[in-house]
Structures are given as C-alpha cells and as structure tokens.
Amino acid sequence: MNKDSHIGILGNGVEGQAVEKYLLAHGYSNVKIFDEKFEGEEGSFEEAKKCDVLFRSPGVKVDRFQDFEGKMTSATKFFMEHAKGKVIGVTGTKGKGTTSSLIFEMLKEDGRDAHLGGNIGTPPLEFLDDLKDGSWTVLEMSSFQLQDLEVSPHVAVVLMTTSEHLDYHADKAEYWDAKKNIVRGQGAEDLLVLNADYDYAEEFKKEAKGHVMEVSRSKELKEGVHTEGPVILYCTPNTCEMVGMAKKVALPGPHNLENVMAAVAVCRWIDVPIPAIQKVLYSFAGLPHRLELVREKDGVKFYNDSFSTTPETCIAAAHAFDGGTHLICGGSEKNSDYSEWAKDLQNNEKVVSVVLIGVTADQMEEELKKAEPQEFPVKIYRCETFEEAVKQCAEVAKEGEYVILSPAAASFDMFKNYKERGEAFREVVGGL
C-alpha cells in the first residue's frame, strides 16, 4: 500500500471513520468509504472491489470478498503490523471489556504508558502515532476482528469461550477458529492466559508456541491464579503469593472473579507490583451496562446488565448475588440455545421469577417449562412492553432481593443497541 493506492473502507461505523481519518492525515488521498446503507450515494461493495486495498470493518464478512484481487486488511491488522511497544489482546465470549479495563487500570496505577483500544476504548488507530517502544496497548478483540488476523499480541487472554455470533459465523467451529488467531502468531517469549474451568482451554493450548498460564475458580494450580478460601493466589513453579482477598473485590459476582484472575495473571507476569493490582481490584466497580447498580428502592437493588446478550452471561448474573433474584429476559433472535439456561435458572434457588419480553420470549418460556423442577420452580411472567416488565419486577420483589435486567438476547427488536436498552432501564427504574 502506497500513497497513490486506491483505498476502500468497508463500513461507515466508528472503526471505518477512524481508518479514513488516519489515512487522510498520513497523506493517503485516494480514500473512499463504501457502505451499503448509503444506497448508492457512495457506491456499493461491488464498486469497492475495484480498489487496490480494502479495509474491512468488523461487521463485514470475510467470505464476501473472496474474489477480491487486491490487498484485504482491517484496522486491527494494520495496527498490529505497525504498533510500537507491547500489545495485550483480550478475547472471549464475554468479559472482554471488563478484563481489558482491569488490566489497563493496573498498568496506569503502576505508572506505565498504557492505552486501551477496541470496542471498549478508543479505535486503536487514533493513538497509533503516540506509541513508543515502552508503551503497553490493551486491545479488546472480538471474533470479527480476529478472523483474518496474522500478527498476534505479545500477551493473549482468552476468557470463557462458548458459542456466540452464530448469526454471523457459520458454526461454533468457525467462531473458535477465528478466536484462535489471537495466539497462532505468537512466539516463544509470548504469553497465553486461559481459564482452566472451561473445555475450550485444551483446544487453545494446542496453538500455543510460548508460555501458557491458567486461572481457575475451582482448581488448585501449580502455575497461574486461583483462589484458596478467601485468598487470591498467583503461583509460579517455585512460589505462591497472595495478591488479594476475594471478598474485597469491588466487582460483583463469581464470574467477575474470573475476569479479575485473568487480569492478575497478566499483570503479575509483566511485573506490575501487588499494591497497584490491589488498589484496582478493590476500587474498580465495573463498566456501564455490566451488572451496574442503578438504584436501591424499598430495600430492592436494581442492576443493569443489558450487555448480557447470551444465555451464559444471564446465568452468571443469576448467580451473582446471595438473595432472591428477579430477572428480565428476552429480546431479538441470535439463534441461541436456551435449554441449559432454563435448566440452570430452574435449579437456582435464588431465582424467584423471570419476566419475559421480546421475540425470544416464546422460546424462553417453552424451555423454562420443560425444565421446571419440583423444588425451586421459577415464576414466569410475560409482558408486552419493556416498561411493564420493569414494573412487574418492582411489584413482586421484596426487601433484600434483586431485580436484574439480564436479557440473554440481543436488543434489536425494541432498541438500537444494548446501550439504549440499558439507558431505558435506568430511566424506568429512576421513575419508579
């Protein structure tokens, strides 16, 4: 790619606009954005195939341009090929944003030149020119961004990986294959962090060429991060050290402890001191729309977990607190399987009721009824509108209980995105 190349950008989203801004600022004058939403205003993807170079945005499928004869790249690929310093990449079905933020905050607390990029932060091309040899970049990396990646980060974190985006990927195998690019390009001096409590770990270990470190909530590890009673331990083959107390961690829920342990594994590996790590663990309370406390009213706490778009993350939310829990679930279709979700909720003595809304409500109700146990049957309510669902929960929840918006589905039947859904929840709860 040179300054005279005819460069096309596929998609006019945040990442596409960041690519255009970067290229124009660096003397690439023949740049054009192609987006099918323009309806001919800027041209279609077929016209884009006439370019010398194409930058693919995350939502554009790779196989749509199999017959493209020029160079195909992306903002993530370009960044990885040109970034100075060290890159820490974080992926997984859920938890990427929280774990990325934890690592970033720990690096900053240690006084390092740290940058946070990807879906959770600034588009990385916006700070590419600011990086130095001693810089650290933390990148939240989705399967869309990893699918055609050839240069892997120096430190790769792979959190719980199940099945996600099957409306985009052909199947679970393709989804996992895309994720594996985070480690395939690593060298002998690089680090891969995995969660030993999930089956995916063995599959990803096979790709590792460098050091592998694991975390676990249920196993004692000779090397990695695990809990022993109330204590979080970081262990190497020669020694174990106490990093912190699990009960003091500001993030709620056992699933967040997994994110914490992954961040600890990375930061101790790169010699961030324990006091800096502890300060973040005990103060960082989470990101918006991820088990975010919105309000307490009449002894009932209302939590916004709108970012929960899969059955697995809703299960995690249902286990987050020691008290009666009322869930608001449902949304647009992502081809998710709700059978295990239903079994877990029906066998969780803390789940009192589930209020169902949206396109997936019928499927969810059917699975919940199939899974109904004798001991802890969950009360099922159906509501037509989002506001009705929140008010229904507020009506039945008792003092000391929890109301959690944790949809286990996408938002597009009622809202523009999960953020708008979360804002709506805040507004309704605020007006109770």
Side-chain angles (χ1 to χ4, degrees), residues 218-380:
S218 61
K219 301 172 186 175
E220 186 177 323
L221 302 170
K222 290 182 180 178
E223 188 167 12
V225 181
H226 66 275
T227 54
E228 193 170 291
V231 176
I232 301 170
L233 293 176
Y234 173 84
C235 295
T236 65
N238 301 318
T239 184
C240 281
E241 57 187 17
M242 189 191 88
V243 179
M245 304 296 290
K247 287 187 176 180
K248 288 188 177 181
V249 171
L251 286 164
H255 65 292
N256 269 321
L257 190 55
E258 297 176 10
N259 300 329
V260 160
M261 290 191 292
V264 168
V266 170
C267 289
R268 284 306 291 142
W269 171 262
I270 60 176
D271 296 321
V272 174
I274 289 177
I277 291 173
Q278 282 186 353
K279 187 168 182 182
V280 175
L281 293 188
Y282 298 162
S283 63
F284 182 78
L287 298 166
H289 313 295
R290 281 96 158 164
L291 271 184
E292 170 196 17
L293 178 61
V294 173
R295 182 186 181 191
E296 182 173 351
K297 183 181 186 296
D298 300 330
V300 177
K301 290 184 177 178
F302 293 79
Y303 280 85
N304 166 22
D305 195 35
S306 181
F307 193 67
S308 166
T309 59
T310 68
E312 292 84 4
T313 50
C314 180
I315 289 170
H319 288 271
F321 304 106
D322 291 323
T325 299
H326 304 265
L327 296 168
I328 300 172
C329 300
S332 61
E333 185 59 72
K334 289 180 71 178
N335 299 321
S336 295
D337 181 349
Y338 291 106
S339 56
E340 293 302 316
W341 167 85
K343 289 175 190 173
D344 193 283
L345 296 194
Q346 286 286 19
N347 288 282
N348 182 345
E349 60 182 319
K350 292 183 287 189
V351 178
V352 179
S353 72
V354 179
V355 179
L356 299 175
I357 56 173
V359 173
T360 60
D362 287 341
Q363 182 189 354
M364 287 176 155
E365 183 173 14
E366 183 182 342
E367 294 293 349
L368 283 168
K369 288 181 175 177
K370 273 198 282 184
E372 184 175 337
Q374 296 300 312
E375 197 173 358
F376 310 118
V378 171
K379 292 178 183 175
I380 303 170

Side-chain angles (χ1 to χ4, degrees), residues 11 29 33 58 72 78 106 165 170 268 312 324 339 346-347 405 424:
S29 57
I33 291 181
M72 176 68 77
F78 188 87
M106 290 172 186
H165 297 304
R268 284 306 291 142
E312 292 84 4
S339 56
Q346 286 286 19
N347 288 282
L405 168 68

